[in-house]
Amino acid sequence: MITSTIYFLEGALSNAATRSIKGQVYDVPRVGGVAFEVEAGKDTCMILKHKDDEPIDRTALEAAVAKAGNYRLL
């Protein structure tokens, strides 16, 4: 079964930033899909799709986000 896990990134990110992050996050093992919800004045919501019995390694995810630029998970 496929499930969603939600993470938050600091700040309201631009389209260019979310594209950059998405490119890096797809390289994290077990990530099947990435979507973002961006609202002005709020932290960015990142929604990851993956199999429910295969959790995503937060350390690998943090490294991918950092590799995309000066961004960080909350």
Side-chain angles (χ1 to χ4, degrees):
M1 179 173 277
I2 301 298
T3 191
S4 297
T5 301
I6 296 173
Y7 295 90
F8 287 91
L9 296 146
E10 187 173 45
L13 302 178
S14 68
N15 285 338
T18 59
R19 280 193 302 273
S20 178
I21 293 167
K22 187 181 230 180
Q24 294 299 322
V25 169
Y26 268 122
D27 290 339
V28 174
R30 302 182 192 103
V31 172
V34 182
F36 294 90
E37 291 180 6
V38 180
E39 287 186 58
K42 295 187 177 183
D43 293 325
T44 298
C45 176
M46 179 172 62
I47 304 142
L48 303 181
K49 297 284 189 178
H50 58 94
K51 292 182 180 179
D52 63 351
D53 61 343
E54 296 182 4
I56 296 168
D57 180 339
R58 184 177 171 102
T59 302
L61 184 59
E62 288 173 336
V65 168
K67 188 174 180 182
N70 191 23
Y71 313 112
R72 71 178 187 96
L73 290 180
L74 298 177

